[in-house]
Amino acid sequence: MDSYGTGTVKELDQTSEEEYATQSKLIKEFITIPTIDKAWIFNSGSGSQAMVAMSQANLLANKRRKFMLSGHISKEESSDQSVNFHWAPFPVEMTGASAFVPSPSGLKLLVVRNPDDNESPTKFEIWSSSQLDKEFHIPQKVHGSVYVDGWFEGISWNSDETRVAYVAEEPSLPKPTFDHLGYYKKDNCLDKDIGSWKGQGDWEEEWGEAYAGKKQPALFVIDVDSSGEVEHIKGVPRSISVGQVVWSPSCKGSAKYLVFAGWLGDKRKFGIKYCSNRPCAVYAIRLTDDPKDNANEAFPIHNFTKSISSGFSPRFSKDGKFLLFLSAKTAVDSGAHGATESLHKINWPSDEKLPESTDIVNVIQVVNCPDDGCFPGLYATGLLGDPWLSDGHTLILSSYWRSCRVILSLNLLSGELSRVSPNDSDYSWNVLALDGDNIVAVSSSPVSVPEIKYGKKVLDSAGKPSWQWSKIQKPILTCSEKVTARLSSLQFKILKIPISNVSECLTEGAKKPIEAIYVSSSKSKENGKCDPLVVVVHGGPHSIAPCSFSKSLAYLSSIGYSLLIVNYRGSLGFGEDALQSLPGKVGSQDVNDVLSAVDHAVEMGLADPSRMTLLGGSHGGFLTTHLIGQAPDKFVAAAARNPVCNLASMVGITDIPDWCFFEAYGDRTHYTEAPSPEDMSRLHQMSPISHISKVKTPTLFLLGTMDLRVPISNGFQYVRALKEKGVEVKVLVFPNDNHPLDRPQTDYESFLNIAVWFNKYCKL
């Protein structure tokens, strides 16, 4: 383990080693449950072929194993209405693969292997059904690692499967070279034989948390049919970082374009991970069939979305007549780091002569105050590579709907938006791929592991479509008998919590009840006493804790804890009014919402007020440390993961200083790189550290040294202040982890210690 804590040996003396040994065996069985990541479906003459990408924690290597499982989908009807996926006997581990992307036909598989250092090449492999056909090594002087996750991810095959467009790190700007005497060398040539060395050169901005060393995502195209030649697409200014590239529709005799999203980073690159409020646009750049022409001539880029502040996830319609894209303009314009999205389309010219101005059509608009039971707005964050049904105008996508994730269908001709996943389901559903007009999805809940479900399209007498959902005869995930037995004893429900202290100044959407997911044992209260409660508060604050499976939280439930997972006002999924009610009131409104949820659970007899604990990370850690200060007698123990404890000290060192100002003031206008004394005073007043004199709750802190979002000094300051006043604390530091603390060993050790810490004070 690459962690260390304060007084580790002493803690093990106080807590029996037998408990650590017992808990470590159980948590390992939860942590190593595989995850379903992606899926692809390909039609063949005998039916459909499925490819499912999965991953699993490798604790010893402290990495995630990636593997792929293939199967044939049987369309035969069965007595129990289930669908049979004939899986291969064993999955295939994709050792060392950074990404694998099948071609549109499913006949080729691209495997990308990024280097582990700054000198080795990036490897591209092209596989056929039975062998490795081609392998290309791309040296660092051409480009660095390929982007395979997050906003900048984008790997796209062209229609004839001869070229692949992708996003990779552009080579760094030249650095000065000095010879063995320390003299500057004009030719910038490094001759190691005579002791030459490179200087540091000018510092360049990076994209913050999770993107350390990532400065300039750029466009490249590789010929995978023959030569392996790589084109660096010219014409995109260095002020724009690109991502999410797709090819324009293939039309004989017309120009070819790459369409992509681009983020501005000319003045400052603010952290972009978990942040949809960074200005971006949908661009296109022309290509020719001859790579030499592209290398010699830089075609200008075309901005389709000049009239709005955000455009990303571009997708062409099946007929190529229009281009669809998502927008986070509400987040960009307001300053919230996550907000309700909108969906738009533009016409794509048949002659591919791009117009000077573009008419942007609103397809799904922002919902401010949803009616009860109605669509609360769009919270998709991305679209499938091919999201269309066979009619060419029906889009399938996933979005948050209050505390659940649901699957939606959108008819672009009629504008009708429908919920495709079952209306009576409190599970979360996510679309994986489309099989013609049928849907392959994954469904889970806090007490059930993810399952693949198959939705068959049916039409009613009026021709209106709906989907009948079936289980798969042979589940793709299996758990140990111990995990299965423990999960089978759990149950959950979504509670509606009335808002306390409703004021007239609130918008209507901000007056509506919040939700909390309550997880408990079906045997709870058999002895007349509730199980101890863990109150879980998510980060963001503009994110959500969905009603889906979490291995770590399921582990806590399985050892005797009830959970109260609170989606306070400011969360995604409840409309824009409720979300925008929080900025300027953090540390008060969100704290009160959590306390209202806790009091509601106690009043309903769902919680024992003498055995309640707190757990949260990031802004959830902000709320955790606020709550132990503002309600010092309410919780017997707490655990905070990379918590925001002092906005005033965080603002000068975080990758998102604008977040500190926006959440403290509630608008964008106050942000400055040079905070005034008045700014620092307000930031301090709204921080947990302003309540530290009242804290007495024993608290466990889990901190990542590589965290650029909430640097570790923020947590250390709060820890040392608690120690100064004699509050019991324990600290685990993970030297190689950043903000989410999600590497396998870190996840394992964190929740092992959280369980033991809570057991100590709940007398389990």
Side-chain angles (χ1 to χ4, degrees):
M1 303 271 181
D2 59 356
S3 63
Y4 57 90
T6 59
T8 304
V9 175
K10 182 180 177 183
E11 294 290 348
L12 281 174
D13 290 341
Q14 293 174 349
T15 306
S16 68
E17 292 190 21
E18 288 79 8
E19 182 176 10
Y20 271 92
T22 300
Q23 295 296 345
S24 66
K25 292 177 182 177
L26 180 59
I27 192 174
K28 179 181 182 295
E29 296 196 38
F30 277 91
I31 292 296
T32 54
I33 295 173
T35 300
I36 301 171
D37 299 321
K38 294 181 180 180
W40 299 267
I41 305 294
F42 306 100
N43 292 319
S44 61
S46 58
S48 299
Q49 301 295 324
M51 291 174 57
V52 181
M54 303 175 69
S55 58
Q56 183 180 27
N58 181 346
L59 284 171
L60 188 61
N62 204 14
K63 295 180 179 180
R64 293 195 66 80
R65 284 192 176 96
K66 295 181 181 180
F67 52 95
M68 186 163 56
L69 187 61
S70 299
H72 173 76
I73 304 175
S74 171
K75 303 296 177 67
E76 300 172 358
E77 295 290 339
S78 59
S79 58
D80 61 355
Q81 299 299 311
S82 63
V83 176
N84 198 355
F85 277 54
H86 300 277
W87 299 112
F90 305 102
V92 177
E93 183 173 1
M94 307 298 287
T95 306
S98 304
F100 39 96
V101 184
S103 64
S105 68
L107 298 177
K108 299 177 182 179
L109 178 69
L110 167 66
V111 177
V112 178
R113 302 183 191 276
N114 281 328
D116 294 326
D117 53 52
N118 293 324
E119 296 182 359
S120 302
T122 299
K123 298 177 183 178
F124 281 64
E125 299 168 358
I126 305 298
W127 291 79
S128 64
S129 60
S130 60
Q131 65 183 20
L132 174 65
D133 282 348
K134 297 180 179 67
E135 182 175 6
F136 309 110
H137 291 201
I138 317 302
Q140 292 275 340
K141 66 180 181 181
V142 176
H143 63 65
S145 293
V146 174
Y147 283 82
V148 295
D149 63 354
W151 290 109
F152 304 122
E153 177 183 8
I155 300 175
S156 179
W157 289 82
N158 68 347
S159 59
D160 61 8
E161 302 185 356
T162 59
R163 303 164 85 188
V164 174
Y166 59 97
V167 179
E169 181 68 12
E170 187 174 298
S172 299
L173 296 173
K175 298 181 183 297
T177 305
F178 305 92
D179 66 17
H180 65 292
L181 298 175
Y183 298 153
Y184 176 74
K185 299 185 70 174
K186 291 183 179 180
D187 59 3
N188 201 32
C189 177
L190 185 62
D191 188 348
K192 293 183 179 179
D193 293 339
I194 57 173
S196 296
W197 50 280
K198 279 199 178 288
Q200 293 301 311
D202 292 348
W203 173 76
E204 292 184 78
E205 290 265 14
E206 299 177 352
W207 278 107
E209 171 65 26
Y211 288 107
K214 303 296 185 182
K215 304 168 185 176
Q216 194 64 43
L219 272 181
F220 296 86
V221 172
I222 182 171
D223 176 358
V224 296
D225 190 48
S226 54
S227 67
E229 184 176 355
V230 175
E231 307 169 51
H232 181 182
I233 306 303
K234 308 295 184 181
V236 181
R238 282 187 63 86
S239 60
I240 295 176
S241 291
V242 305
Q244 306 176 359
V245 59
V246 295
W247 293 84
S248 66
S250 178
C251 300
K252 290 185 178 180
S254 64
K256 293 184 179 68
Y257 288 89
L258 292 178
V259 177
F260 57 93
W263 285 262
L264 292 175
D266 49 347
K267 295 181 180 179
R268 171 170 180 170
K269 288 185 172 79
F270 288 101
I272 198 170
K273 186 76 170 179
Y274 318 117
C275 298
S276 61
N277 66 326
R278 305 306 176 206
C280 57
V282 176
Y283 297 93
I285 190 166
R286 184 181 173 186
L287 288 182
T288 67
D289 289 326
D290 189 344
K292 294 180 180 179
D293 292 341
N294 297 324
N296 296 330
E297 182 178 359
F299 293 104
I301 63 171
H302 185 90
N303 185 346
F304 289 107
T305 55
K306 294 177 183 177
S307 60
I308 59 176
S309 55
S310 172
F312 61 94
S313 201
R315 296 291 185 271
F316 282 97
S317 59
K318 275 188 177 293
D319 59 11
K321 292 183 177 180
F322 61 84
L323 179 66
L324 198 75
F325 65 92
L326 291 167
S327 175
K329 61 180 182 178
T330 307
V332 175
D333 296 344
S334 69
H337 283 64
T340 314
E341 296 166 347
S342 52
L343 186 70
H344 308 267
K345 72 174 184 177
I346 58 176
N347 291 326
W348 185 259
S350 57
D351 58 2
E352 297 211 345
K353 293 181 179 178
L354 305 185
E356 288 297 322
S357 60
T358 307
D359 291 329
I360 298 175
V361 178
N362 295 326
V363 178
I364 298 179
Q365 301 194 53
V366 170
V367 176
N368 291 313
C369 181
D371 293 331
D372 292 344
C374 294
F375 176 61
L378 187 62
Y379 307 90
T381 70
L383 301 172
L384 289 177
D386 182 6
W388 304 101
L389 298 184
S390 60
D391 61 16
H393 58 255
T394 301
L395 175 78
I396 302 295
L397 70 162
S398 304
S399 179
Y400 294 114
W401 186 305
R402 300 186 71 81
S403 292
C404 295
R405 192 163 177 83
V406 303
I407 302 175
L408 304 171
S409 72
L410 173 66
N411 186 313
L412 268 72
L413 297 182
S414 66
E416 183 179 4
L417 183 71
S418 304
R419 185 165 168 172
V420 169
S421 49
N423 287 324
D424 58 353
S425 173
D426 283 338
Y427 282 44
S428 281
W429 295 69
N430 189 39
V431 58
L432 289 174
L434 301 181
D435 181 17
D437 287 337
N438 302 325
I439 301 173
V440 178
V442 62
S443 171
S444 73
S445 79
V447 302
S448 58
V449 298
E451 277 189 293
I452 289 184
K453 298 290 181 72
Y454 193 84
K456 292 183 179 180
K457 182 183 176 183
V458 294
L459 300 176
D460 63 15
S461 57
K464 184 177 180 179
S466 63
W467 279 261
Q468 293 180 346
W469 291 97
S470 305
K471 290 184 177 180
I472 289 177
Q473 287 181 346
K474 184 180 178 183
I476 197 170
L477 291 184
T478 56
C479 301
S480 69
E481 291 183 4
K482 186 183 294 184
V483 169
T484 301
R486 296 201 176 217
L487 289 178
S488 67
S489 68
L490 301 177
Q491 59 189 3
F492 77 98
K493 57 184 173 182
I494 299 175
L495 307 177
K496 292 194 180 299
I497 317 293
I499 297 299
S500 61
N501 302 320
V502 175
S503 66
E504 291 299 323
C505 62
L506 287 174
T507 58
E508 287 304 311
K511 298 177 183 178
K512 296 196 171 189
I514 62 170
E515 289 184 350
I517 304 162
Y518 179 70
V519 185
S520 64
S521 168
S522 57
K523 300 178 182 179
S524 180
K525 298 181 69 174
E526 281 187 356
N527 58 359
K529 194 174 184 180
C530 294
D531 289 336
L533 182 73
V534 180
V535 179
V536 182
V537 278
H538 67 72
H542 309 303
S543 63
I544 186 173
C547 206
S548 58
F549 188 72
S550 162
K551 302 168 199 174
S552 49
L553 294 183
Y555 159 69
L556 292 179
S557 298
S558 76
I559 61 172
Y561 288 94
S562 296
L563 305 178
L564 187 68
I565 307 166
V566 184
N567 283 316
Y568 46 84
R569 280 173 294 172
S571 302
L572 302 178
F574 294 82
E576 193 62 13
D577 279 359
L579 187 145
Q580 293 290 349
S581 70
L582 180 58
K585 303 173 190 172
V586 292
S588 55
Q589 178 177 292
D590 44 4
V591 167
N592 290 332
D593 283 355
V594 175
L595 290 174
S596 294
V598 172
D599 292 343
H600 184 79
V602 171
E603 290 168 6
M604 291 181 66
L606 303 177
D608 178 354
S610 68
R611 293 196 298 170
M612 298 193 300
T613 64
L614 270 172
L615 170 61
S618 191
H619 188 85
F622 175 87
L623 290 176
T624 296
T625 46
H626 253 302
L627 284 158
I628 61 176
Q630 295 190 44
D633 298 313
K634 210 166 192 76
F635 304 98
V636 297
R641 296 159 50 86
N642 282 334
V644 176
C645 301
N646 187 349
L647 291 167
S649 64
M650 174 181 166
V651 70
I653 53 176
T654 178
D655 66 330
I656 54 167
D658 57 322
W659 178 89
C660 300
F661 278 89
F662 178 74
E663 298 301 342
Y665 283 103
D667 59 50
R668 299 174 56 198
T669 61
H670 287 81
Y671 174 70
T672 174
E673 295 282 1
S676 67
E678 292 75 21
D679 291 331
M680 298 299 279
S681 176
R682 182 175 180 87
L683 292 170
H684 182 273
Q685 290 171 6
M686 302 192 77
S687 298
I689 202 165
S690 66
H691 299 280
I692 201 160
S693 63
K694 297 172 282 184
V695 176
K696 49 189 176 185
T697 306
T699 305
L700 168 66
F701 291 85
L702 304 119
L703 309 174
T705 303
M706 307 302 289
D707 190 350
L708 300 178
R709 184 61 40 94
V710 186
I712 194 171
S713 58
N714 210 259
F716 273 145
Q717 182 191 29
Y718 191 86
V719 166
R720 288 168 177 144
L722 288 182
K723 285 185 173 182
E724 184 179 53
K725 65 188 298 294
V727 177
E728 187 173 359
V729 298
K730 179 177 178 176
V731 184
L732 286 176
V733 174
F734 300 91
N736 297 310
D737 274 81
N738 53 12
H739 193 57
L741 297 175
D742 60 358
R743 295 200 310 159
Q745 289 180 6
T746 303
D747 192 26
Y748 168 91
E749 190 176 0
S750 293
F751 280 89
L752 172 62
N753 278 275
I754 289 169
V756 172
W757 185 256
F758 287 171
N759 288 352
K760 177 180 178 181
Y761 295 98
C762 291
K763 305 295 190 292
L764 271 191

